[in-house]
Amino acid sequence: MRVLIVDDERLAQTALANILSARSDVEHFDSADDTSEALEKLATDSYDVLLLDINMLDLSGTELLDQLRERNRPLPSIVFVTAHVEDAVAAFERHTVDYVLKPFSNESINDALDRASRRAKGERAAQLIEALPQLKKLSRTGHPMIAIKAKGRILFINPGDVVAVQAEGNYVSLQRESDSYLLRESISMVAEKLKPYGFIRIHRSALVNTSFVVEIKPYSTGKYGLRVKGGKEYAVTRGYKKNLKPLTEFRIGNGAFLAE
């Protein structure tokens, strides 16, 4: 579960962060001091739950939700955490999961997070069920597709279109010839998913689709350079040199593999 705290009171932020840190089901959480910062974070990352204050200096929490809807942004499960009981009706009109009054207890926040987590899981399951007809249609056409979650959306891509995958901190970048997708996933998990589609691990933080490989160049250092269609080159470290064996069986001349 990924959580964003939006509250201009630092004491409340700290108390919520302490509660989130103690939960084993919270994968990651961020904090925003106001709705402007929250909008920036929501534009670049995806969250399952929003712990949201209502009365803040720039925009209210309910106005933030209205802006997200106007921008057609996917909404996390919303838990309002506020000192103002009079705003409860407006909050629940926006399909809020829960409404916790300040000063809050650990128990009240944990109960709200449990409900929000169940809501988020249910919505993800509903998205997958809705996508099943598309998956079945694609499978009948003979094009293998995999589902990925990117910025709150579920996208279906053909693994054969992916040239390479590279780790970027807590994310991985799926690189195609024309664009790329940033996913919050480990490189090891992605390697396992893509193994049946001809991907090999060439570095602890990189995979390459063998169908795009046009050249393998040995270096004096013991490493290899692997060039793909389009000209980009990737380094193959010694520990993953053995993964090149299926390709190097087709060596010609001086040991370089050429496919162009």
Side-chain angles (χ1 to χ4, degrees):
M1 177 167 56
R2 295 172 54 78
V3 184
L4 177 62
I5 303 167
V6 186
D7 201 312
D8 56 5
E9 296 178 16
R10 286 303 176 93
L11 286 176
Q13 273 193 29
T14 301
L16 292 170
N18 289 337
I19 294 171
L20 293 172
S21 297
R23 290 181 64 104
S24 61
D25 60 344
V26 174
E27 174 192 350
H28 175 77
F29 67 87
D30 286 320
S31 297
D33 294 329
D34 52 41
T35 53
S36 297
E37 185 181 358
L39 284 169
E40 291 177 5
K41 290 183 180 293
L42 288 162
T44 57
D45 210 341
S46 61
Y47 299 91
D48 301 304
V49 180
L50 206 59
L51 295 176
L52 180 61
D53 192 8
I54 290 186
N55 290 309
M56 288 179 283
L57 294 177
D58 52 351
L59 291 175
S60 70
T62 52
E63 288 172 323
L64 168 64
L65 297 187
D66 292 341
Q67 283 205 15
L68 290 174
R69 288 194 175 92
E70 288 172 4
R71 300 179 187 188
N72 292 320
R73 299 293 304 173
L75 284 179
S77 295
I78 308 298
V79 175
F80 277 109
V81 184
T82 180
H84 302 276
V85 69
E86 63 271 16
D87 295 314
V89 173
F92 281 108
E93 284 177 346
R94 289 163 173 79
H95 306 290
T96 305
V97 174
D98 211 337
Y99 190 96
V100 180
L101 285 174
K102 297 178 180 177
F104 50 79
S105 65
N106 287 17
E107 183 181 6
S108 63
I109 295 296
N110 278 317
D111 287 346
L113 286 168
D114 289 341
R115 283 189 283 273
S117 177
R118 289 193 294 271
R119 166 82 67 87
K121 289 176 181 176
E123 289 177 349
R124 284 196 295 270
Q127 286 179 316
L128 287 173
I129 290 170
E130 184 179 350
L132 279 177
Q134 182 183 356
L135 281 175
K136 291 177 180 177
K137 181 180 178 181
L138 291 168
S139 66
R140 286 196 298 269
T141 63
H143 299 291
M145 305 294 284
I146 59 173
I148 61 172
K149 184 180 178 184
K151 294 185 178 180
R153 299 176 298 157
I154 295 177
L155 304 176
F156 298 95
I157 64 170
N158 185 345
D161 294 336
V162 178
V163 178
V165 181
Q166 288 189 288
E168 297 185 11
N170 294 325
Y171 295 81
V172 293
S173 173
L174 268 64
Q175 300 167 1
R176 303 198 297 186
E177 290 185 282
S178 58
D179 55 19
S180 63
Y181 293 105
L182 198 62
L183 314 178
R184 187 171 179 84
E185 185 67 273
S186 71
I187 190 76
S188 296
M189 289 293 292
V190 174
E192 192 65 28
K193 291 178 182 177
L194 293 179
K195 190 176 180 180
Y197 303 104
F199 284 76
I200 58 171
R201 190 90 171 255
I202 60 167
H203 190 279
R204 65 188 301 268
S205 60
L207 313 171
V208 166
N209 187 339
T210 55
S211 66
F212 283 90
V213 176
V214 297
E215 183 180 5
I216 297 175
K217 298 187 294 186
Y219 296 135
S220 58
T221 59
K223 296 182 179 181
Y224 286 80
L226 189 152
R227 185 166 62 90
V228 298
K229 293 176 184 177
K232 187 169 183 178
E233 191 168 304
Y234 296 87
V236 183
T237 55
R238 292 179 183 177
Y240 293 95
K241 186 169 63 175
K242 63 182 182 297
N243 293 344
L244 299 180
K245 187 176 180 181
L247 291 174
T248 54
E249 289 174 352
F250 300 98
R251 286 183 181 181
I252 59 174
N254 63 359
F257 167 82
L258 300 174
E260 288 183 321

